Amino acid sequence: MGSPVPGAEGTPLAAASSTSPGLRPPTRRTTELFMLAFAATLVTSALILVEANQEQELTMRIVWLGLAYLGVLTVVHLAVRKWAPYADPVIMPCVALLNGLGLVMIYRIDLAMADVKFADGSTWSPAAPKQVLWTAIALVLFCTALKVLSDHRTLARYGYTFGLLGLVALVLPGVLPSFIAPEINGAKIWLSFGAFSIQPGEFAKILLMVFFAAFLVSKRDLFTIAGRRVLGLDLPRARDLGPLIAAWAVGVSIMVLQKDLGSSLLFFGIVLVLLYVATERAAWVVLGVVMFCVGAFAAWKLFRHVQVRVQNWLDPFIDPYGTGHQILESLFGLGTGGLFGAGLGGGRPDEIPEANTDFITAVIGEELGFVGLSAVLLIYTVLALRGLRSALAVRDTFGKLLGGGLAFAMAFQIFIVVGGVTKLIPMTGITAPFLSYGGSSLLANYILAALLLRISDAARAPKATPKPRPQQPAIADQFTVMVERPK
């Protein structure tokens, strides 16, 4: 990724990162702080446009909100530069911009839903204040993770423990009774405890990525041994298919028990990518895709909720006022937005069910158009690429696998979300990272960002030079010591 800056050993130039020639920690601090200020400016401008187009009164409160957001980001910036001084300066500004745009869109949806009354007589409960609170908690958790986890390789020691916890968290909502794990919007992915609810699958994906990265590092030789060669592919031996079959079984179980196509696809996709990165063999990906297609086809034939999802994907007009209503409103909104959109505050997000969670990208497409939605997707692309770059540059194999898995998970998740909203693939019900409303998603993705920054810091930090040993004088130069015999 570059060569070290020439300079005398022990000078600041010699201490510069080998991945960024000429970029010293003070320069990184300035770059990151400038981009965070730019993100706060964009968020404040978007909030002003929403207020203006909704005919709200423009006051200095918006400016103070923007300054408060910049102040919080400055504190986070100082925490990153203190505990991860060599981390990539682009990752955190991308996260901050996505989070800020999500807050603006959630607030805009609150304004649109303020006068809506539901069939049971209830009214809309504003979600923006709750999301602000979750953002503050997530930032505290983010800083805590950076402080506590000083070396990402420490996670490899607890790989199997994390794997067990992740598996339990993933399947728990599907096996618990409905008074603890209620079915919401056709999926059982929540655990409810009175007024508090949590989506354990969001945290399970991180725990399972740590497990698979540690497992593949310790058992890599088993997956690199080739079996028979079929159609130009070196297939693995039958005895080595256990982990892939186990991941396939878990993915199908999620699809059946929780009625959650998105988490099933995301989990299995992460496993396949980690296998490919660890072995560099396309046969694992081909086998995995074939197995997933077979499992999905069987689930489509056997289970009604999967058939409904596929039916809405193929032809939502079969039931336009029932199961196909959500995807139709999403497509109408995207069509209304066109190339440049209706403007922030000029759309009709109140027509789209679950607009602030599953379909927030449809709201962005309606109000910012194809250009605005593409810009948001470009931010995700930059974020994923910087994570992959850090994974390539880090020196240990565990860090490469974990960093690659984390970056891919974020990119693949937004692909699943946008694919469902645009009817490219069946609707899945998972949320867009940092954009959508939801505490569990926000907390988990900020932990993911902290892990990416920790790996990036390890990748870009200069190699520690060993301390010089004190030179001993040559034997020929030693003085002769006369020892007097005691009388």
Side-chain angles (χ1 to χ4, degrees), residues 111-129:
L111 294 179
M113 298 292 293
D115 299 328
V116 175
K117 290 188 177 181
F118 300 102
D120 58 356
S122 61
T123 56
W124 178 260
S125 176

Side-chain angles (χ1 to χ4, degrees), residues 340-393:
F340 297 104
L344 282 172
R348 290 297 304 275
D350 52 301
E351 297 290 339
I352 305 176
E354 307 298 331
N356 60 2
T357 53
D358 303 354
F359 280 76
I360 196 168
T361 51
V363 179
I364 294 174
E366 181 182 7
E367 302 208 339
L368 297 181
F370 175 78
V371 173
L373 183 58
S374 299
V376 172
L377 297 181
L378 186 61
I379 298 172
Y380 279 109
T381 303
V382 171
L383 181 57
L385 287 177
R386 302 297 286 203
L388 289 174
R389 181 184 179 186
S390 299
L392 288 173

Side-chain angles (χ1 to χ4, degrees), residues 154-172:
T154 308
L155 298 174
R157 303 176 188 173
Y158 310 99
Y160 288 92
T161 303
F162 287 156
L164 178 61
L165 292 175
L167 187 61
V168 171
L170 197 61
V171 302
L172 198 58

Side-chain angles (χ1 to χ4, degrees), residues 80-100:
V80 171
R81 292 303 119 196
K82 177 177 176 60
W83 295 314
Y86 293 97
D88 194 319
V90 179
I91 292 178
M92 194 58 210
C94 289
V95 170
L97 183 55
L98 290 171
N99 191 5

Side-chain angles (χ1 to χ4, degrees), residues 56-145:
Q56 301 288 325
E57 183 181 0
L58 293 178
T59 63
M60 288 298 295
R61 181 176 64 93
I62 297 178
V63 178
W64 289 116
L65 287 175
L67 292 175
Y69 188 64
L70 178 60
V72 171
L73 294 181
T74 303
V75 173
V76 174
H77 159 74
L78 294 176
V80 171
R81 292 303 119 196
K82 177 177 176 60
W83 295 314
Y86 293 97
D88 194 319
V90 179
I91 292 178
M92 194 58 210
C94 289
V95 170
L97 183 55
L98 290 171
N99 191 5
L101 290 177
L103 289 171
V104 171
M105 297 311 299
I106 293 170
Y107 174 68
R108 189 269 170 277
I109 295 169
D110 285 344
L111 294 179
M113 298 292 293
D115 299 328
V116 175
K117 290 188 177 181
F118 300 102
D120 58 356
S122 61
T123 56
W124 178 260
S125 176
K130 302 175 187 176
Q131 188 73 351
V132 171
L133 177 61
W134 282 117
T135 300
I137 297 174
L139 289 173
V140 172
L141 186 61
F142 169 84
C143 295
T144 303

